[in-house]
Amino acid sequence: MKNGYENTSVGDIVEKLGVAQGLFYYYFKLKDEVYRAAMEQYTDDFAARLVSIVLEAVPLADKIEKILKYMSDLIGESEHALMDKAHLAEHIDMDNRLSVHVAQSLIEPVIGMIEELNEKGVTDIKKY
């Protein structure tokens, strides 16, 4: 994040990790693969945090407030160079896959939340 994707070399990465450059190439062929792996981890963490908020035993209004705060904080954080690269044309397939991954992670917890709210009479949302 400090230097952005384009200004970070494989040498910078291995130096920061304190490993030999050959070890990098044992696991990754290109710097882009590290970027993809980092974005997948970032997305997994993002989805897990959203799921944990949805599953909290707090009122719906509190869940919505926490989700909005988390999203607001995330937008401020995501304006760095790594996130800018995610929306470039050559990465749109990855961006789409990661978005679908987040959405799929939320389906069951959100259905459970809606069913609970329906049972309490807070909502009356029907399945179609």
Side-chain angles (χ1 to χ4, degrees), residues 104-116:
Q104 288 174 332
S105 298
L106 290 168
I107 290 171
E108 290 303 316
V110 170
I111 287 172
M113 181 181 71
I114 291 169
E115 288 172 346
E116 179 184 331

Side-chain angles (χ1 to χ4, degrees), residues 34-44 82-83 86 94 98:
V34 172
Y35 172 77
R36 286 177 181 268
M39 291 306 296
E40 287 171 6
Q41 179 64 51
Y42 182 85
T43 302
D44 286 344
L82 286 179
M83 293 305 294
M94 180 181 65
L98 296 176

Side-chain angles (χ1 to χ4, degrees), residues 1 4-5 35 38-39 42-43 46 74-88 91 94-95 98:
M1 284 193 245
Y5 177 84
Y35 172 77
M39 291 306 296
Y42 182 85
T43 302
F46 172 73
L74 192 65
I75 289 169
E77 174 187 313
S78 69
E79 292 179 6
H80 58 70
L82 286 179
M83 293 305 294
D84 290 343
K85 184 168 176 56
H87 301 292
L88 295 176
H91 290 283
M94 180 181 65
D95 191 38
L98 296 176

Side-chain angles (χ1 to χ4, degrees), residues 9-89:
S9 68
V10 170
D12 295 331
I13 295 168
V14 297
E15 181 181 326
K16 181 72 174 176
L17 295 173
V19 299
Q21 197 154 341
L23 187 59
F24 174 92
Y25 289 108
Y26 179 78
Y27 290 99
F28 303 101
K29 290 181 176 74
L30 305 167
K31 181 176 79 168
D32 196 58
E33 291 178 11
V34 172
Y35 172 77
R36 286 177 181 268
M39 291 306 296
E40 287 171 6
Q41 179 64 51
Y42 182 85
T43 302
D44 286 344
D45 293 347
F46 172 73
R49 179 66 184 128
L50 288 178
V51 168
S52 73
I53 293 170
V54 169
L55 295 176
E56 285 182 17
V58 299
L60 178 61
D62 292 346
K63 290 180 188 190
I64 292 171
E65 185 178 326
K66 286 182 178 190
I67 288 170
L68 292 175
K69 167 114 175 63
Y70 179 60
M71 296 298 288
S72 175
D73 292 347
L74 192 65
I75 289 169
E77 174 187 313
S78 69
E79 292 179 6
H80 58 70
L82 286 179
M83 293 305 294
D84 290 343
K85 184 168 176 56
H87 301 292
L88 295 176

